[in-house]
Amino acid sequence: FVKLTGMMKEMFHTNMPQLENLAKLQHKNDHFQSLRMLVEAGIHKEQSFDVPFIQQTLTDLEAKLQLMFNGFIDGEIRWISSQKSHSKNQGVLGPLLKFPAFVNQMENMFDPSFDAPMQVTTTYTKMAKALFTLIQETSELPQKLGRRVLVLVENFYFFWKVFNERLNRIKQQESRSQQVFDQRNNRISALESKVEEAHKLYTENLHAYVRWHVEYELPKLYKFWDELEDKFANNQQEELQYLIPKQTVMANVNKFIPKLKGDKGHIQNMFNRVEKHLPEKDNGLRVEVLSALKTYFMERYKRFETQVLQCYHSVKSLPKTSTEVKHIFQKAFEQKI
């Protein structure tokens, strides 16, 4: 038996170069094949745990395949890092657009009923991290503030929307096939924390983006609102009229408020600027931005209206009430969606 085992060990060892050459050929034709072979080698290795010479051969093959696959992924990450775009109207970055197809190819390399191999979850995490770094670095290229924030908004929105919908579809399969759901979710869930991070970053930058629109269109009124709120937060209500005279308040009111109109006014200008930045009418992001812009502006305006009426009792109403401004916003919003 010992002699026979030695002969088998030598035979398998002799076949190792042929196996390695076959793996290289498959990898050359399709880089994802190295992952498939890596997964299958692991499965066969588990099944032959009591046959040492097969175990050793498969262990050696796994090491070679792992190096091939690592080289492929490292190359992909280097390519992602080189894709910072200087285009003014760049939209979603190319590597972000390609990533869903990359995930599909990864998923097609093995039976969905198998446990998630470590290489898959590690790869998803590394690739998502590289993509997020690309988004951040692209946003830091020389360009106007609005465009910089837009890079963050568009790309984190895309990542969150695409993979959140995919995760939800997988979870909906639970009632139909618990086993398939569990195994596939083990793989895709490697992205779940990145999906949550993308949503957080999208939300934060969406707020910054709509604030930028208001400040860009109405810089003096925006600055005055901040000054008024700062004084209101740090002083008693009755003191405000002494800190900011009524004449100053009314000068700002009369200068800017009448121009808050939907037709060739400040509101229309802001909406047109969003449309210029996001020209695709069917883009769900445009609707979200317009809605967030309307909500943010109305919160600020309503607060401003309340502060003025509370602190300056001789002022009975603003040239446009918050209800009227809300109606103007709603009409402009409906024209743009």
Side-chain angles (χ1 to χ4, degrees):
F1 178 77
V2 174
K3 186 176 180 180
L4 179 61
T5 301
M7 291 174 58
M8 295 297 292
K9 181 178 180 181
E10 181 63 25
M11 183 180 70
F12 272 85
H13 179 72
T14 303
N15 287 334
M16 187 61 202
Q18 287 88 341
L19 289 173
E20 185 178 344
N21 289 334
L22 178 61
K24 287 180 179 178
L25 180 62
Q26 291 290 324
H27 179 74
K28 182 179 179 180
N29 292 333
D30 181 355
H31 294 322
F32 288 96
Q33 289 298 327
S34 56
L35 173 63
R36 180 184 62 78
M37 291 185 288
L38 189 58
V39 172
E40 290 182 357
I43 294 171
H44 290 305
K45 184 177 171 181
E46 287 182 6
Q47 293 171 346
S48 58
F49 67 92
D50 57 346
V51 187
F53 52 83
I54 296 180
Q55 280 264 309
Q56 186 59 54
T57 300
L58 291 173
T59 298
D60 293 343
L61 181 61
E62 276 185 315
K64 301 291 185 182
L65 290 168
Q66 187 68 64
L67 287 174
M68 291 181 198
F69 186 67
N70 288 349
F72 165 52
I73 297 303
D74 290 344
E76 291 293 290
I77 289 174
R78 285 194 299 273
W79 175 77
I80 290 171
S81 301
S82 71
Q83 296 301 302
K84 292 187 287 292
S85 173
H86 293 265
S87 173
K88 182 178 179 181
N89 299 311
Q90 56 200 340
V92 179
L93 298 170
L96 265 291
L97 292 172
K98 292 177 181 292
F99 189 54
F102 177 91
V103 171
N104 289 342
Q105 286 181 278
M106 292 276 286
E107 293 295 303
N108 290 335
M109 285 299 104
F110 36 81
D111 191 320
S113 65
F114 293 158
D115 285 330
M118 177 187 65
Q119 292 86 356
V120 175
T121 56
T122 301
T123 297
Y124 286 165
T125 302
K126 288 171 64 176
M127 295 287 280
K129 183 178 179 180
L131 289 169
F132 282 22
T133 299
L134 174 68
I135 296 169
Q136 295 286 359
E137 290 180 350
T138 303
S139 74
E140 294 166 3
L141 294 173
Q143 54 192 318
K144 291 182 179 179
L145 176 60
R147 290 285 180 182
R148 291 208 303 268
V149 182
L150 181 60
V151 169
L152 300 169
V153 170
E154 279 192 284
N155 286 279
F156 285 123
Y157 173 82
F158 175 84
F159 189 97
W160 165 66
K161 198 71 175 176
V162 168
F163 289 103
N164 187 59
E165 289 178 356
R166 184 174 294 200
L167 284 167
N168 287 336
R169 283 199 304 271
I170 292 170
K171 291 175 181 178
Q172 287 170 4
Q173 296 172 6
E174 183 176 13
S175 59
R176 296 194 294 272
S177 178
Q178 179 68 45
Q179 183 181 8
V180 173
F181 165 76
D182 284 344
Q183 304 299 347
R184 291 186 65 87
N185 192 42
N186 282 340
R187 295 196 291 272
I188 299 295
S189 65
L191 287 172
E192 194 155 14
S193 64
K194 285 298 181 181
V195 171
E196 293 171 357
E197 183 182 350
H199 184 253
K200 179 176 180 292
L201 291 167
Y202 158 64
T203 303
E204 289 175 356
N205 287 288
L206 175 62
H207 292 159
Y209 184 56
V210 298
R211 287 197 303 270
W212 173 83
H213 275 284
V214 177
E215 185 175 12
Y216 185 89
E217 180 64 28
L218 292 158
K220 292 182 179 179
L221 180 61
Y222 187 92
K223 183 178 179 181
F224 179 69
W225 280 355
D226 283 349
E227 181 184 356
L228 188 66
E229 289 192 359
D230 181 63
K231 293 288 193 295
F232 194 83
N234 294 294
N235 297 277
Q236 296 297 320
Q237 178 178 312
E238 58 272 12
E239 297 172 358
L240 192 61
Q241 57 187 310
Y242 301 106
L243 297 170
I244 303 179
K246 175 187 171 184
Q247 292 84 348
T248 302
V249 174
M250 295 313 297
N252 280 278
V253 166
N254 293 325
K255 183 177 182 179
F256 298 111
I257 303 306
K259 296 179 183 178
L260 294 177
K261 51 186 179 180
D263 183 20
K264 297 181 180 180
H266 292 302
I267 294 173
Q268 188 65 48
N269 290 344
M270 287 188 285
F271 276 36
N272 287 343
R273 197 166 290 113
V274 172
E275 187 176 39
K276 181 181 177 181
H277 284 182
L278 298 167
E280 295 291 334
K281 188 168 185 179
D282 295 333
N283 187 336
L285 178 58
R286 188 207 281 190
V287 175
E288 293 215 14
V289 170
L290 291 174
S291 180
L293 177 57
K294 179 179 67 165
T295 299
Y296 172 73
F297 191 92
M298 288 311 306
E299 287 176 352
R300 295 287 314 251
Y301 191 83
K302 179 65 177 176
R303 199 154 62 240
F304 171 64
E305 180 184 48
T306 300
Q307 291 166 347
V308 170
L309 297 182
Q310 283 181 350
C311 301
Y312 303 91
H313 301 297
S314 60
V315 180
K316 302 303 179 185
S317 66
L318 300 185
K320 281 187 172 67
T321 66
S322 57
T323 301
E324 291 171 327
V325 174
K326 183 178 181 180
H327 177 74
I328 296 169
F329 254 103
Q330 185 60 33
K331 186 175 180 180
F333 177 77
E334 290 171 356
Q335 291 173 349
K336 294 295 183 182
I337 61 174

